[in-house]
Amino acid sequence: MADKTLSKPSAFQDVFARKPGVDKSGTHYCAGCGHGVAHKLIAEAVADFGLKDRAIIVAPVGCSVFLYYYFDFCAVSVPHGRAPAALTGISRVHPEAICISYQGDGDLAAIGLAEIIHAANRGERMAVFFVNNAIYGMTGGQMAPTTLVNMKTSTSPFGRQVEGEGHPMRMCEMIAGLESPVYVERVAVDSPQATMKARAAIRKALKIQMERKGFAFVEILSPCPTQWRVAPDQAGEWIRENMYPVFKLGVYRDKVQETDPRPAPPESLSAREVYALLTGEKDSGKAETAQTDSNNGRHSKSPEAPAIDSICCKLAGFGGQGVLTLGVLVAQAGMNADYHVTWLPSYGPESRGGTANSSVILSREEIGSPVVNDIDVLLAMNVPSLERFLPQMNRGGLVIYNSSIVQEEIEKRDGVKIVGVPAMDLAQTAGDVRAANVVLLGAYSALTGLFTNADLDYALSTSFPKPKAAEINRKAFAAGVEHVKGKEEGARI
Amino acid sequence: MSKQLMKGNDAVVCGALLAGCRGFFGYPITPASEIAHTAALLFPQAGRIFIQAESEVAAINMVYGASSAGVRSMTASSGPGISLKMEGISYLAASELPSVIVDISRVGPGLGNIYPSQGDYNQVVKGGGHGSYRCIVLSPNSVQEMCDFTMLAFELADRYRIPVFVLSDAYVGQMMEPLDMPAAIDPPGPPDWALTPEAATNGNVITSIFLNPEEMEAHVLHLQENYAGIQRQETRCETYRCEDADLILVGFGIVSRILRSAVDQAREQGLKVGLFRPQTLWPFPETQLLEHVGRVHDFLVVELNNGQLVQDIKLFVAGRSPIHFMNRVGGFVPSPEEVVEKARQILGKDAAAPVREKSSEVSVPK
């Protein structure tokens, strides 16, 4: 027993080679500092439990930023206060790792308050060792969130005032109030007896990690005689006198018994499986895939399909009338018909004025700007859309509007074909007034012969995969086609 | 079929999954939110990690952790969120941690608005966080490139151990185009410097603190050496109808799409106009740009900001050609017609004058 307690744990490096200066055996901590004790308790547990290869510790910003001078396992130093977030990243991607966060009071309770609370609330699989000495050590003895009332620091030279500076924050109490943490305890290293309790708490927190049970939090009240301006041998007494009354030792939460080990996360899919997930195809052999597509007949155009280089469409109406979806349908059909296509939702200052709209360009050439200012085809679901976009119509253009709600006489424009379709009435008959947008698609397709049945089939089945919606929308589409049949032939686009 | 119509933001997620990204850590913000939505849907289905972080700061630090653990990881946001991430990005750069950050930029400064903008150019291209570092910055202008460049970003990040930005804008993020799904790859396992629960990496340390000035200087110089190699190897650009151009339009992202239309319109009107489009904003394809200096009379830089890229173009061209500037801010984009009109003014006014006598003044944004 005596041999064991006097020896250096094997989870410490034999020689502190990373430490600058000639002394490679002592630590950089001040006389009487508690970090050395806390380090030793952690190193001993890591060694005793055989965790050296699996342990990954996050070094905070503060005196213990250099903890990797000493520990003989993986370590990473992170921005001030962010240890729980960074360790979350590690913990999630390495389910076998034993994840340890080591933080001081400024790091954890001030600048990193959000990170620790949320990691605790998510119940991240990590042991957090929170060294509370009620002051900033490395930066020069400034006030910490845990600084005691009336305690003088370099930024509270007249003593911490409740008015303006608040009370010391009790982190164990805050974290124990959350549902997810498995274990929360406050210990101290001010005396051998207290240190033995700290040792047990640290070992328990690490055991929880070995058992994959989740978030464990151990607060360690620790001396900082240098910044407290007390003699090292008086520091223990200082903790008992000043910190104990504010930071009560004890277990604040212990759900170890009733917590089940976390199941192992699912395996990451392979490249081949991911490709299949994204495309619905098994093979990631792209060249062959493209070949199949172009040969299966879906893309063949009807003989009477007009030869058109480029069409700029505007689909507009009230929000909720499905004009964004209508644009997507036109773009999907166009894509299936081997056009280059772009779709842009009403987005930006042009969307003001009570209408939503989407812009679609179909082109035989590569498309530059996706913005539509000069319109070849306008599918308008309401009056404001017509008022707004009619002036932007190109000669030879086509306007199809929803005559169910547009009762006004539409002013004739030179060289622009204007067709009214009672889209909402036809959609209602088809089963759902919301399919009015698809009625306009049917009318547009029938008037122009731009798309093959296969193109439209692709668009409708992609946008409406559910059987009921698919059926209604197919009826609505057919109603649009039927409505314009024989009435308005020869629309150019 | 392998071609799918989708938004640029969704294509980013496809690119990430195809590149073997193991973790997405993000915080919602318009106009980047579809990236988080789609990642939340697809990452778990692919056995990958998705976390909606408590903040942008936490998100970038989760990336820091996952990257230090040796796996591919990313985050995505827009201007205000990118500002918050800058602390973490500086640390990622300092610790040489491969990582991918997507910025679907919106209008700033401040809360601004959610419309397209290129106001993040200086922040992203010049660093934005503290210290002497660089990030590779890729600039896609199509849905296909949103996917392809995200994949490329992971590859470059690993190759050079550097954070890589995909800097895009609200239009390219929100726009739908067909995506031809690239083949997926299985990325290599954790590198030997990573922190893993294996004996092989026992004792590995990742840090960015070097209290000794000599060590710090050596570290900073080491980083600069890496950057110099990237500048030699990784510049990318696209040119369009530049061969006989009298005027070259310069722009990135959505602007380059508008400029491409403007080039075609200008050519139809007999104006010899070409397009130079940087695909890497850092390293900037300076050599490729300078090939045109002297032969071309003028450059017209078009941006959706207060004139940020144009300052770099001025530095590169160093007074050897006149550089003109045109911009919109607030969420507008210029039309191709407006650009052609500007081109006509430039060529009409200056066409006969010798190159050296021309002013190199940049026009002041209105």
Side-chain angles (χ1 to χ4, degrees):
Chain A
M1 186 67 192
D3 282 351
K4 186 171 162 61
T5 49
L6 291 175
S7 70
K8 189 191 275 186
S10 66
F12 274 145
Q13 295 169 42
D14 288 337
V15 176
F16 302 146
R18 292 196 178 108
K19 186 169 166 266
V22 290
D23 173 18
K24 304 290 186 190
S25 60
T27 70
H28 71 288
Y29 297 117
C30 306
C33 173
H35 278 306
V37 179
H39 282 19
K40 186 163 181 178
L41 296 177
I42 294 168
E44 184 195 57
V46 167
D48 288 355
F49 299 156
L51 302 177
K52 251 181 70 168
D53 292 343
R54 292 165 59 198
I56 299 174
I57 190 166
V58 178
V61 172
C63 292
S64 49
V65 64
F66 293 119
L67 55 74
Y68 52 80
Y69 288 170
Y70 315 114
F71 290 115
D72 192 23
F73 43 87
C74 282
V76 53
S77 105
V78 304
H80 199 19
R82 317 304 176 210
L87 197 55
T88 294
I90 296 171
S91 177
R92 294 289 187 106
V93 302
H94 284 324
E96 295 307 313
I98 299 294
C99 297
I100 305 168
S101 177
Y102 188 103
Q103 299 179 260
D105 41 43
D107 195 82
L108 183 138
I111 201 164
L113 186 64
E115 284 80 5
I116 188 62
I117 293 291
H118 285 275
N121 193 48
R122 290 190 302 267
E124 295 293 345
R125 202 177 46 77
M126 60 178 67
V128 178
F129 299 123
F130 168 44
V131 178
N132 177 5
N133 53 22
I135 201 159
Y136 284 64
M138 186 168 78
T139 41
Q142 295 89 356
M143 183 177 70
T146 51
T147 290
L148 305 168
V149 174
N150 293 325
M151 181 175 163
K152 288 181 182 173
T153 71
S154 53
T155 50
S156 58
F158 310 107
R160 178 178 189 158
Q161 302 300 306
V162 169
E163 261 184 48
E165 286 152 351
H167 289 274
M169 287 172 74
R170 299 185 177 104
M171 293 310 300
C172 277
E173 287 85 334
M174 286 171 69
I175 288 168
L178 303 170
E179 293 298 327
S180 299
V182 175
Y183 169 58
V184 178
E185 181 170 0
R186 182 181 289 125
V187 295
V189 290
D190 59 283
S191 68
Q193 296 83 345
T195 300
M196 289 311 285
K197 284 189 180 167
R199 177 177 183 270
I202 286 168
R203 293 170 89 87
K204 183 165 178 169
L206 289 174
K207 279 236 169 82
I208 289 166
Q209 303 316 305
M210 294 166 70
E211 293 163 0
R212 300 187 46 77
K213 287 192 171 176
F215 188 87
F217 185 86
V218 178
E219 175 174 344
I220 303 163
L221 303 184
S222 174
C224 181
T226 301
Q227 299 298 358
W228 292 347
R229 311 272 190 267
V230 303
D233 62 354
Q234 301 300 306
E237 187 54 38
W238 195 95
I239 287 181
R240 288 186 289 278
E241 195 174 307
N242 299 291
M243 294 185 79
Y244 274 22
V246 179
F247 301 110
K248 301 258 189 302
L249 302 191
V251 176
Y252 285 83
R253 188 176 177 87
D254 187 347
K255 303 280 180 192
V256 179
Q257 290 307 320
E258 52 266 58
T259 303
D260 292 328
R262 299 283 176 82
E267 281 286 301
S268 174
L269 296 191
S270 69
R272 198 162 270 266
E273 292 164 328
V274 162
Y275 185 84
L277 173 72
L278 296 179
T279 61
E281 290 167 19
K282 291 229 162 56
D283 208 332
S284 62
K286 288 188 53 240
E288 295 156 47
T289 308
Q291 197 80 42
T292 315
D293 269 354
S294 58
N295 287 344
N296 69 3
R298 274 194 304 186
H299 293 182
S300 67
K301 268 160 285 298
S302 56
E304 68 275 16
I308 281 168
D309 289 338
S310 140
I311 308 164
C312 293
C313 311
K314 192 70 93 171
L315 313 305
F318 292 122
Q321 283 187 311
V323 294
L324 299 188
T325 304
L326 181 54
V328 171
L329 288 164
V330 172
Q332 279 170 332
M335 179 179 79
N336 207 62
D338 277 344
Y339 283 99
H340 292 272
V341 301
T342 58
W343 172 94
L344 196 64
S346 48
Y347 198 85
E350 84 282 358
S351 69
R352 284 180 300 206
T355 65
N357 72 77
S358 59
S359 302
V360 173
I361 300 175
L362 312 179
S363 175
R364 292 292 172 205
E365 305 291 327
E366 203 172 311
I367 300 168
S369 171
V371 180
V372 172
N373 294 321
D374 301 319
I375 304 169
D376 297 316
V377 174
L378 170 63
L379 306 186
M381 296 289 287
N382 65 1
V383 173
S385 307
L386 282 168
E387 284 172 350
R388 173 128 176 257
F389 294 119
L390 270 178
Q392 296 177 29
M393 289 302 298
N394 286 331
R395 261 187 88 83
L398 169 64
V399 177
I400 307 175
Y401 68 94
N402 170 21
S403 59
S404 297
I405 56 168
V406 180
Q407 311 291 345
E408 292 87 340
E409 189 68 22
I410 308 298
E411 191 190 334
K412 292 275 180 293
R413 295 181 67 84
D414 197 23
V416 177
K417 183 178 276 294
I418 299 177
V419 181
V421 175
M424 286 157 71
D425 299 298
L426 294 173
Q428 190 75 61
T429 309
D432 194 333
V433 70
R434 287 176 300 175
N437 55 350
V438 175
V439 174
L440 289 196
L441 178 70
Y444 173 53
S445 306
L447 285 171
T448 60
L450 194 63
F451 305 121
T452 64
N453 287 338
D455 299 332
L456 295 158
D457 210 47
Y458 169 77
L460 289 169
S461 59
T462 307
S463 284
F464 305 108
K466 289 180 184 165
K468 190 169 177 227
E471 195 197 325
I472 290 168
N473 279 291
R474 277 170 202 283
K475 277 189 191 163
F477 181 86
V481 171
E482 196 59 35
H483 184 79
V484 297
K485 195 173 270 181
K487 294 181 188 168
E488 302 280 353
E489 282 173 357
R492 274 192 53 224
I493 45 181
Chain B
M1 71 196 273
S2 62
K3 231 179 208 186
Q4 295 175 39
L5 189 73
M6 70 169 72
K7 283 190 174 188
N9 282 345
D10 295 332
V12 165
V13 179
C14 292
L17 288 170
L18 294 167
C21 177
R22 280 281 299 284
F24 180 97
F25 308 100
Y27 187 87
I29 182 170
T30 310
S33 290
E34 290 90 352
I35 301 179
H37 303 168
T38 306
L41 185 71
L42 293 180
F43 267 60
Q45 290 183 56
R48 316 278 171 88
I49 313 296
F50 170 87
I51 299 182
Q52 180 173 331
E54 62 270 29
S55 67
E56 300 280 7
V57 174
I60 193 71
N61 282 283
M62 290 174 188
V63 170
Y64 186 97
S67 179
S68 70
V71 305
R72 291 184 166 184
S73 67
M74 72 176 296
T75 186
S77 190
S78 185
I82 299 295
S83 298
L84 285 165
K85 288 184 195 297
M86 279 302 171
E87 172 199 54
I89 293 165
S90 169
Y91 278 72
L92 285 164
S95 300
E96 297 184 88
L97 289 174
S99 40
V100 172
I101 304 126
V102 178
D103 179 0
I104 310 297
S105 58
R106 56 189 256 174
V107 183
L111 206 47
N113 67 37
I114 58 175
Y115 307 129
S117 162
Q118 299 180 321
D120 295 359
Y121 176 92
N122 276 348
Q123 181 186 38
V124 168
V125 173
K126 307 294 179 181
H130 59 284
S132 304
Y133 76 93
R134 286 285 190 182
C135 298
I136 294 175
V137 184
L138 306 177
S139 168
N141 78 351
S142 66
V143 169
Q144 187 68 48
E145 283 189 352
M146 288 290 265
C147 175
D148 294 349
F149 283 14
T150 301
M151 293 187 76
L152 175 64
F154 280 104
E155 190 187 318
L156 293 173
D158 276 356
R159 189 182 307 159
Y160 294 102
R161 291 190 60 178
I162 188 172
V164 180
F165 266 96
V166 176
L167 176 60
S168 189
D169 56 72
Y171 266 171
V172 178
Q174 297 292 326
M175 181 168 70
M176 276 190 177
E177 286 182 318
L179 173 68
D180 195 354
M181 202 70 74
I185 61 147
D186 284 311
D192 55 10
W193 51 259
L195 313 180
T196 75
E198 310 288 339
T201 63
N202 187 38
N204 278 359
V205 169
I206 290 168
T207 187
S208 62
I209 184 168
F210 301 94
L211 284 187
N212 178 332
E214 275 126 31
E215 280 179 38
M216 189 68 211
E217 182 173 55
H219 180 62
V220 174
L221 292 178
H222 159 71
L223 293 178
Q224 309 315 309
E225 207 175 303
N226 190 26
Y227 301 153
I230 295 169
Q231 281 181 297
R232 283 192 298 273
Q233 298 291 328
E234 302 299 344
T235 56
R236 285 171 169 79
C237 66
E238 182 185 52
T239 55
Y240 181 61
R241 304 181 87 167
C242 280
E243 302 75 29
D244 62 340
D246 294 328
L247 168 70
I248 287 188
L249 310 177
V250 183
F252 65 97
I254 190 61
V255 168
S256 66
R257 296 285 294 263
I258 292 159
L259 298 185
R260 189 187 164 98
S261 294
V263 167
D264 287 340
Q265 287 185 19
R267 290 275 176 173
E268 279 170 23
Q269 298 170 29
L271 301 171
K272 288 187 174 176
V273 176
L275 166 65
F276 183 90
R277 174 205 161 207
Q279 292 168 305
T280 50
L281 297 177
W282 196 89
F284 192 89
E286 182 183 346
T287 313
Q288 295 93 315
L289 179 78
L290 294 185
E291 282 169 13
H292 300 285
V293 170
R295 195 182 53 68
V296 169
H297 285 201
D298 293 78
F299 291 91
L300 169 60
V301 182
V302 184
E303 298 183 74
L304 307 180
N305 59 37
N306 59 339
Q308 301 185 12
L309 168 66
V310 69
Q311 294 177 350
D312 283 343
I313 303 295
K314 280 174 77 179
L315 279 173
F316 299 140
V317 174
R320 286 167 288 184
S321 291
I323 295 164
H324 308 266
F325 176 63
M326 180 178 181
N327 70 336
R328 290 304 297 267
V329 294
F332 292 102
V333 295
S335 69
E337 290 76 15
E338 288 167 334
V339 177
V340 172
E341 189 47 42
K342 178 85 175 178
R344 183 191 307 285
Q345 283 169 20
I346 293 165
L347 291 172
K349 190 178 71 178
D350 290 334
V355 171
R356 288 181 186 284
E357 291 176 19
K358 279 186 276 183
S359 154
S360 65
E361 272 181 9
V362 170
S363 43
V364 179
K366 282 166 194 152

